[in-house]
Amino acid sequence: MPLLEKALRLRTVVLGERHQDTLSVLNDLANAYHFTGRNGEALVLHERKLCVAIAAFGLDHDQVQSALLTLALAYSDMGPESEAVPI
């Protein structure tokens, strides 16, 4: 994961936090954290992606819908489905 972490830092600096490529790497890193059991860190990144996507693109954009879905799935995988509903 160090390479994904570095890629996220570089894309954030070069392209900006709101760029779609940056959000894609953010999502990839969150998924990597999730699949390796680092669920708390994964949730933080999924929530960050959602907030940035809403600010950058508005509620109706594909990036926002994708962020909502991955965040809901992360919550669902971690425990009671009741946590996934409020999003």
Side-chain angles (χ1 to χ4, degrees):
M1 276 177 282
L3 292 176
L4 278 173
E5 292 166 344
K6 183 176 181 178
L8 179 59
R9 283 191 305 273
L10 290 172
R11 292 218 178 177
T12 301
V13 169
V14 173
L15 300 174
E17 186 177 46
R18 294 180 175 198
H19 194 277
Q20 288 189 14
D21 289 346
T22 304
L23 292 175
S24 178
V25 174
L26 180 62
N27 187 70
D28 292 345
L29 181 57
N31 287 335
Y33 283 161
H34 177 73
F35 293 131
T36 57
R38 295 168 67 177
N39 294 326
E41 293 168 282
L43 285 178
V44 168
L45 293 185
H46 283 304
E47 290 170 353
R48 178 175 152 196
K49 180 187 176 194
L50 177 60
C51 291
V52 172
I54 289 171
F57 306 114
L59 291 174
D60 294 329
H61 195 272
D62 291 350
Q63 285 283 350
V64 173
Q65 294 167 13
S66 172
L68 281 169
L69 177 62
T70 56
L71 181 57
L73 290 172
Y75 274 123
S76 179
D77 285 349
M78 287 177 47
E81 289 183 4
S82 63
E83 293 294 325
V85 175
I87 297 172

